[in-house]
Amino acid sequence: QVQLVESGGGLVQPGGSLRLSCAASGIIFSSYTMGWYRQAPGKQRELVATITRGGNTNYADSVKGRFTISRDNGKNTAYLQMNSLKREDTAVYYCNADLTLRGGIHAGNYWGLGTQVTVSS
């Protein structure tokens, strides 16, 4: 049974920092591209950042220079360090694990339940 469990969300003032964690079980973690997505009220879910099995990262333009995605394969955990938080970063943040093989074959895609991040004074 695959589980992705997010933690680290909460209420933070503008300009503050939070570190989200995503603990994975039931998958060969090191094989998966890990991603963070977010969904604000009334908006579609959007990509925040991804990190491949090889450590290559990709960020949404809105978070470049402020957020850092990382992974620890020994702990089966992905992280999202969020600095200089803005009110518009308020959303539910979801962890995603994706395994797409050569030729575009989708071998697995899993989501966590999300963690709320609220940026407010």
Side-chain angles (χ1 to χ4, degrees), residues 11-78:
L11 174 64
V12 63
Q13 291 187 342
S17 298
L18 282 175
R19 187 195 195 202
L20 305 184
S21 299
C22 171
S25 60
I27 59 173
I28 302 174
F29 180 82
S30 60
S31 296
Y32 281 70
T33 290
M34 299 301 298
W36 287 97
Y37 293 73
R38 67 186 181 187
Q39 188 167 17
K43 294 187 177 181
Q44 290 188 329
R45 191 172 297 189
E46 64 176 3
L47 169 72
V48 176
T50 60
I51 183 167
T52 67
R53 56 185 294 178
N56 294 319
T57 58
N58 179 54
Y59 296 92
D61 287 343
S62 59
V63 306
K64 281 181 181 176
R66 299 189 298 122
F67 291 10
T68 302
I69 189 171
S70 61
R71 64 191 298 159
D72 185 335
N73 290 338
K75 295 183 178 180
N76 288 357
T77 301

Side-chain angles (χ1 to χ4, degrees), residues 80-100:
L80 185 68
Q81 178 67 44
M82 304 186 294
N83 299 329
S84 302
L85 282 160
K86 305 175 181 180
R87 288 181 175 82
E88 52 263 43
D89 294 318
T90 295
V92 178
Y93 283 70
Y94 296 92
C95 179
N96 175 264
D98 181 78
L99 179 60
T100 300

